[in-house]
């Protein structure tokens, strides 16, 4: 069994590779609606999240800790490990850093949504948050659109300035800003721990796309009901969204929307090529699902070494590269 830390994961699987691992799973017929639900277990320091998933090739489970007090101690808010198993035999293959895996797969999910929903000429990004997810989402957004301007909105000034500096290093015009900057955005990404809406949904232009990834709790949201009312609504899976997505569940409880108002899913966009309506904002809400962890962990494991990464009992054809290796 091998151990893969954050540096290993970053070196083995670039953002585009993570997005393709997810897209490949969907195109192969995976149904996210059938994915096992996340278990949330309250503990004194916060909560434990247990997320299992399985395919014919791999099985795996993530045990992640969410410790809200950790950042104040100089420690990561998300902790834990991912245990990857061989699908046919359930023998352990690898242990991956759960926080790094979560960051990579969340940004990869968003990249698929941005690719399908954002305007082709989207150039102006407003990014809420300045933690690991913000960095990963900036890179994923750059992989899908030719961004030129980034505005970073964060309650932590020093962290926001560091992210602005990083954006400059990527060749972007960048500055810190305010929530009202969404008025001129083509793309808005929310990756924060906020419990209340970050901006006024009336300010979002009709052509813009909003992606929100920060919450998986029914009573917590990053966006307001006005944005949800105005937008076409897209989710990873209806079952997961209606179980955990406060950004949608709160407007549902208010009577602002009804369940049929959810326009479609990630699978509709990626596998079926459904196109969003162009007369209103597009809003993608993700909560994070176990099948995504499994798909990305498997891709990392395969990339670690073709010989070592071959699951026990796997057919050698599973390792055959497309187009004869070209």
């Amino acid at each position: 069994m091998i151990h893969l830390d954050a540096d290993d994961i970053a070196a083995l699987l670039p953002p585009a590779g993570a997005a393709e691992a997810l897209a490949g799973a969907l195109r192969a017929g995976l149904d996210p609606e059938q994915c096992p639900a996340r278990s949330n277990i309250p503990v004194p320091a916060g909560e434990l999240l247990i997320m299992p998933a399985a395919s014919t090739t791999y099985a795996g489970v993530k045990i992640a800790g969410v410790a809200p007090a950790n950042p104040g101690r100089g420690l990561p808010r998300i902790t834990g490990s991912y245990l990857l198993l061989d699908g046919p035999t359930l023998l352990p293959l690898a242990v991956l850093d759960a926080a790094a895996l979560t960051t990579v797969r969340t940004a990869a999910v968003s990249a698929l949504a941005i690719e399908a929903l954002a305007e082709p000429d989207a150039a102006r990004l407003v990014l809420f948050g300045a933690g690991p997810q913000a960095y990963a989402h900036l890179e994923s957004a750059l992989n899908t659109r030719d961004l030129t301007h980034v505005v970073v909105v964060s309650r932590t000034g020093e962290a926001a300035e560091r992210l602005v500096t990083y954006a400059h290093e990527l060749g972007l015009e960048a500055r810190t800003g305010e929530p009202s900057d969404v008025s001129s955005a083509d793309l808005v990404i929310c990756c924060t721990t906020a419990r209340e809406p970050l901006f006024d949904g009336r300010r979002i232009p009709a052509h813009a796309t909003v992606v929100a990834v920060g919450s998986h709790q029914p009573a917590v949201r990053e966006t307001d009901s006005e944005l949800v009312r105005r937008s076409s609504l897209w989710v990873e899976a209806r079952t997961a969204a209606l179980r955990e997505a406060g950004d949608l569940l709160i407007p549902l409880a208010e009577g602002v929307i009804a369940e049929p108002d959810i326009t479609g899913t990630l699978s509709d966009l990626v596998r079926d090529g459904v196109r969003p309506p162009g007369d209103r904002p597009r809003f993608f809400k993700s909560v994070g699902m176990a099948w995504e962890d499994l798909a990305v962990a498997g891709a990392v494991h395969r990339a670690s070494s073709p010989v070592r990464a071959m699951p026990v009992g796997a057919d050698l054809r599973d390792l055959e590269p497309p187009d004869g290796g070209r």
Side-chain angles (χ1 to χ4, degrees):
M1 185 167 65
I2 61 174
H3 294 258
L4 299 167
D5 62 17
D7 290 339
D8 294 326
I9 293 171
L12 290 166
L13 193 68
E20 182 52 37
L22 298 174
L26 293 173
R27 295 187 190 112
L30 181 142
D31 182 4
E33 304 293 351
Q34 302 302 316
C35 181
R38 181 197 337 257
S39 296
N40 299 61
I41 303 172
V43 295
E47 64 177 334
L48 291 178
L49 309 178
I50 302 175
M51 301 175 65
S55 69
T56 56
T57 303
Y58 289 112
V61 60
K62 182 168 73 177
I63 302 179
V66 182
N70 271 10
R73 303 182 178 113
L75 298 171
R77 182 173 178 269
I78 306 297
T79 68
S81 296
Y82 190 90
L83 176 62
L84 183 68
L85 308 171
D86 171 53
T89 67
L90 300 184
L91 292 174
L93 296 173
V95 174
L96 292 81
D97 180 277
L101 178 64
T102 300
T103 298
V104 169
R105 65 90 155 129
T106 304
V109 170
S110 296
L112 293 180
I114 293 167
E115 179 63 35
L117 297 175
E119 291 292 314
D121 60 351
R124 305 183 67 89
L125 166 67
V126 175
L127 181 58
F128 286 86
Q133 285 287 3
Y135 283 82
H137 275 77
L138 175 57
E139 293 178 2
S140 285
L142 278 169
N143 282 334
T144 58
R145 290 295 182 270
D146 293 326
L147 300 178
T148 58
H149 298 75
V150 177
V151 177
V152 178
V153 184
S154 173
R155 61 188 178 187
T156 308
E158 291 184 3
E161 290 291 353
R162 287 194 295 270
L163 182 51
V164 165
T165 298
Y166 180 69
H168 286 152
E169 293 170 356
L170 296 176
L172 299 168
E173 292 188 28
R175 62 176 175 84
T176 60
E178 302 296 330
S180 59
D181 282 303
V182 299
S183 296
S184 58
D186 303 314
L187 175 63
V188 177
I189 301 177
C190 307
C191 33
T192 74
T193 58
R195 303 184 68 85
E196 300 291 339
L198 296 164
F199 56 87
D200 183 347
R202 294 173 296 183
R203 290 182 173 270
I204 296 293
H207 73 275
T209 294
V210 178
V211 174
V213 308
S215 167
H216 63 266
Q217 296 174 306
V220 175
R221 59 178 172 171
E222 297 176 287
T223 60
D224 65 10
S225 296
E226 180 60 16
L227 173 69
V228 172
R229 183 193 68 78
R230 293 180 56 213
S231 301
S232 64
L233 307 175
W234 304 85
V235 296
E236 294 153 296
R238 285 181 170 83
T239 50
L242 294 173
R243 189 169 54 235
E244 298 181 332
D247 294 74
L248 299 178
L249 290 171
I250 294 172
L252 276 165
E254 294 171 345
V256 173
I257 60 168
E259 289 186 18
D261 291 323
I262 296 176
T263 313
T265 67
L266 192 65
S267 182
D268 295 330
L269 295 169
V270 173
R271 184 173 63 208
D272 300 331
V274 174
R275 298 294 87 186
D279 59 346
R280 70 195 86 163
R282 291 136 242 181
F283 177 44
F284 178 76
K285 171 58 187 171
S286 72
V287 295
M289 298 183 70
W291 72 267
E292 300 157 358
D293 292 317
L294 183 65
V296 173
V300 170
H301 186 251
R302 288 191 296 273
S304 66
S305 168
V307 174
R308 181 176 59 195
M310 185 176 69
V312 177
D315 192 303
L316 288 175
R317 289 172 298 178
D318 293 342
L319 300 179
E320 183 176 338
D323 298 324
R326 293 193 296 274

